[in-house]
């Protein structure tokens, strides 16, 4: 399934290139505003219900040279916000049980507030200094020097194996007389189909294997006090199941039942944020350009540095939790707040933002 995922990324990259530079330049020339990029990343992730699909697609676009790093960075940040809608929706299962709903909704939305706060701080810093991009470029160059060419645009047996079926499909389309536009459309459809298929089944299979283990591991870590170890378990579990939504959604019923407190669950949620970045790094294995690795590293650094800063300072750590508790208290009294928050925050505001800012 991971092999099919990489083939999908390669097909996506090939399909974008088939359209030519004029098409790709026109596709993104109206999205020069970084805030619009955040909204695009958010909305795209909400629509496909997977930040992994969004980030891997962005890596493919960057690797194909059709999306600049400057535009990809805010889109990646927006994907972080969009992915939180899944566990927020999971909390709605407790809507008729008032006390449990308040805890569940707070447990879900503290992830939302953390990602929004992190973007609000890190995006202006990145735009002003470019520090995340500079570190990512340095790491990508270091990995190349260390011979890790598979992650930095070099030719490896993995890339050779990934290219083979894509080249066969290209050859078949050429034999059938397909022009560049038809080839591009077919490659894009084939690539996106494989990406969705592979990630869906990887996530499904790993959930079946790991679901019980996730809950046992979370309980074991929390019995020892949580903290940094809770961040690590959240990271590892998310890497294993290839979905931060699974990790965080498992927490929601545990919080609702009172088995886990908000403050104990928070570091696990932060760990899930770090673990979800593995998908973009895997996707960079299939790209020909080092830029694909750079944006994958950028995603990891954005999440990891954000977690380190927000969790290490108690005052900052309390902000997402406090905001989530206040929203949950309001939602407990007025259920309409839930609809306004989910639909308005994750769909209406991003759409308006894209239309106004592009």
């Amino acid at each position: 399934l991971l092999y099919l995922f990489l083939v999908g990324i390669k097909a996506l990259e090939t399909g974008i290139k088939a359209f030519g530079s004029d098409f790709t330049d026109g596709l993104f020339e109206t999205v020069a505003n970084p805030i619009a990029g955040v909204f695009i990343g958010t909305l795209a992730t909400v629509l496909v219900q997977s930040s992994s699909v969004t980030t891997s697609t962005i890596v493919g676009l960057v690797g194909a040279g059709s999306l600049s790093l400057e535009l990809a960075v805010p889109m990646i940040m927006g994907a972080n916000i969009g992915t939180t809608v899944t566990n927020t929706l999971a909390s709605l299962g407790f809507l008729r049980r008032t006390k449990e709903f308040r805890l569940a909704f707070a447990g879900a939305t503290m992830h939302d507030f953390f990602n929004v706060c992190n973007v609000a701080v890190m995006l202006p810093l990145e735009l002003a200094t470019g520090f995340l991009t500079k570190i990512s470029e340095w790491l990508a160059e270091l990995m190349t020097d260390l011979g890790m060419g598979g992650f930095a645009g070099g030719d490896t047996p993995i890339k050779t194996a990934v290219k083979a079926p894509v080249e066969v499909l290209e050859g078949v389309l050429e034999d059938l007389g397909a022009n560049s536009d038809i080839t591009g459309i077919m490659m894009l459809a084939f690539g996106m189909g494989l990406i969705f298929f592979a990630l869906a089944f990887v996530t499904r299979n790993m959930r079946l294997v790991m679901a019980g283990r996730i809950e046992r591991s979370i309980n074991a870590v929390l019995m020892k006090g949580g903290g940094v170890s809770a961040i690590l378990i959240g990271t590892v579990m998310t890497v294993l199941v290839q979905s931060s939504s699974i990790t965080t959604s498992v927490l929601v019923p545990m919080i609702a039942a009172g088995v886990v407190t908000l403050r104990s669950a928070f570091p696990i949620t932060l760990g899930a944020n770090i673990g979800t970045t593995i998908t973009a790094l895997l996707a960079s294995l299939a790209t020909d350009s080092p830029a694909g690795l750079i944006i994958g590293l950028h995603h990891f650094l954005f999440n990891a540095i954000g977690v380190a800063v927000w969790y290490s300072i108690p005052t900052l750590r309390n902000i997402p939790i406090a905001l989530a508790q206040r929203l949950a208290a309001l939602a407990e009294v007025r259920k309409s707040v839930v609809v306004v928050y989910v639909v308005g925050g994750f769909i209406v505001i991003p759409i308006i933002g894209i239309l106004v800012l592009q």
Side-chain angles (χ1 to χ4, degrees), residues 155-230:
D155 202 13
T156 65
I158 291 177
K159 287 189 177 176
T160 301
V162 167
K163 287 178 182 178
V166 177
E167 290 174 348
V168 169
L169 180 57
E170 270 191 297
V172 170
L173 291 172
E174 286 180 10
D175 292 341
L176 292 174
N179 59 30
S180 60
D181 288 343
I182 296 297
T183 299
I185 292 170
M186 294 297 292
M187 283 293 180
L188 283 176
F190 177 67
M192 289 304 297
L194 274 186
I195 290 170
F196 271 97
F197 173 82
L199 286 178
F201 276 90
V202 165
T203 301
R204 177 177 176 273
N205 291 335
M206 291 308 295
R207 181 175 63 236
L208 293 173
V209 173
M210 298 300 300
R213 292 182 176 90
I214 290 176
E215 292 191 27
R216 289 195 294 272
S217 298
I218 288 173
N219 285 325
V221 168
L222 294 179
M223 286 177 65
K224 296 177 182 177
V228 175
S229 58

Side-chain angles (χ1 to χ4, degrees), residues 5 68 137 154 189 217 337:
F5 168 69
S68 68
E137 289 173 343
S217 298
V337 169

Side-chain angles (χ1 to χ4, degrees), residues 15 37 56 166 316 347:
S56 57
V166 177
L316 293 179
I347 299 175

Side-chain angles (χ1 to χ4, degrees), residues 53 82 102 109 144 170 209 234 275 301 306 319 331 333:
V53 171
R102 179 173 179 172
T109 55
T144 304
E170 270 191 297
V209 173
L301 290 170
I319 292 175
V333 177

Side-chain angles (χ1 to χ4, degrees), residues 73-210:
V73 165
M75 288 183 186
I76 285 283
M77 293 182 178
N80 260 32
I81 296 173
T83 194
T84 63
V85 73
T86 305
N87 55 300
T88 302
L89 293 174
S91 70
L92 301 186
F94 300 90
L95 201 57
R96 294 184 179 180
R97 288 169 279 178
T98 304
K99 185 178 178 181
E100 290 182 12
F101 171 68
R102 179 173 179 172
L103 291 172
F105 195 63
T109 55
M110 69 180 177
H111 191 198
D112 307 359
F113 284 117
F114 168 74
N115 279 329
V116 170
C117 290
N118 196 29
V119 170
V121 172
M122 298 285 272
L123 181 58
L125 283 175
E126 173 64 10
L127 294 176
T129 65
F131 77 105
L132 287 173
T133 301
K134 290 174 184 176
I135 298 173
S136 301
E137 289 173 343
W138 175 77
L139 285 173
E141 186 176 347
L142 178 64
M143 291 172 73
T144 304
D145 292 340
L146 292 174
M148 300 174 69
F151 282 100
D155 202 13
T156 65
I158 291 177
K159 287 189 177 176
T160 301
V162 167
K163 287 178 182 178
V166 177
E167 290 174 348
V168 169
L169 180 57
E170 270 191 297
V172 170
L173 291 172
E174 286 180 10
D175 292 341
L176 292 174
N179 59 30
S180 60
D181 288 343
I182 296 297
T183 299
I185 292 170
M186 294 297 292
M187 283 293 180
L188 283 176
F190 177 67
M192 289 304 297
L194 274 186
I195 290 170
F196 271 97
F197 173 82
L199 286 178
F201 276 90
V202 165
T203 301
R204 177 177 176 273
N205 291 335
M206 291 308 295
R207 181 175 63 236
L208 293 173
V209 173
M210 298 300 300

